[in-house]
Amino acid sequence: MKITIMTLFKETMDPMLEYSIVGRAKKNNYIDIEAVDIRPFANNKHLQVDDYPYGGGAGMLMMPDPIYSCYQAIKKQSQAKTRRVIYMTPQGNVWNQQMAEEFSKEEELIILCGHYEGVDQRVIDEIVTDEVSIGDYVLTGGELAALVVADSIVRLIPGVLGKSESFEKESFSEGLLEYPQYTRPAVFLDRKVPDVLLSGNHKKIEDYRRWEAIRNTFHKRPDLLKDVQLTKEEQQLLTEYAKKHCKVKEGML
Ligand code: 6GU
């Protein structure tokens, strides 16, 4: 997998790509990921990359030509047969785990970070295959959003996470949030670790964790439960639990 991030702020992104799990994945050649500066691809003496919008209005727009030249240079260097080009924009599809899984299977990704008031529409129409947002709020630029998207993809690539960091039982992997976790000491500020976790009974521990994950999801993100496969028994348990623990607002059911 190769990921190239096109940006006017390469220096702000490089440190995030050199450290931690992403940096390690890069060093160990599980992934080729880099930020490329768009500015040197400007076709004018002053390396200008933004200009006023036709028709007037506030702010500056990124000019199409530097972005297109940058894209062509990236494409020329690549052996990939297929690629997707993501434009980071609050107008895009809101990123989620399912999209991360889908994009992690691609051979090559190019991520375009917008800045200022945006990007000339013609270069978007020419090169972009997917528009992505990371949520309903506005950032000053696409860089932070691109790092979020890249991080969530990189960690899904086989080999990137070690066994101890494995993502089999984590939030969203089965549509549920995670169960709560505990480490030493067994008692902290008079708060005890649940007895079952010290019991050594693996079946009991597994059942306890599954139920805690369901309970956690019910309280924090009940909207996720509609996509979770619960056993009949779990469904019953949850119905009982809900009756006991939740006041149902009038008109809700
Ligand atoms: Cl991808 N870009 C910007 N500028 N703001 C955002 C965003 C992206 N996603 C949420 N807000």
Side-chain angles (χ1 to χ4, degrees), residues 182 186-187 192-201 204-205 208:
Y182 304 88
V187 182
K192 273 193 71 194
V193 171
D195 285 334
V196 57
L197 297 177
L198 310 176
S199 71
N201 184 331
K204 266 195 170 161
I205 291 173
Y208 162 81

Side-chain angles (χ1 to χ4, degrees), residues 1-4 30-33 74 77-85 101-110 153 157:
M1 156 84 80
K2 173 155 194 213
I3 302 178
T4 310
Y30 287 114
I31 167 108
D32 182 359
I33 180 166
I74 293 164
Q77 285 210 343
S78 158
Q79 282 113 50
K81 285 183 282 299
T82 62
R83 65 184 59 77
R84 281 167 90 165
V85 181
E101 276 160 27
E102 179 192 325
F103 279 82
S104 74
K105 297 181 181 103
E106 294 290 331
E107 194 178 354
E108 174 171 26
L109 297 175
I110 297 174
I153 291 170
I157 292 167

Side-chain angles (χ1 to χ4, degrees), residues 88-90 132-135 137-139 141-142 145:
M88 301 309 306
T89 166
V132 168
S133 162
I134 61 164
Y137 41 82
V138 180
L139 304 169

Side-chain angles (χ1 to χ4, degrees), residues 220-232:
K220 295 177 180 167
R221 292 291 306 276
D223 58 300
L224 296 177
L225 283 171
K226 67 177 185 333
D227 298 321
V228 179
Q229 289 281 344
L230 296 182
T231 66
K232 254 206 166 118

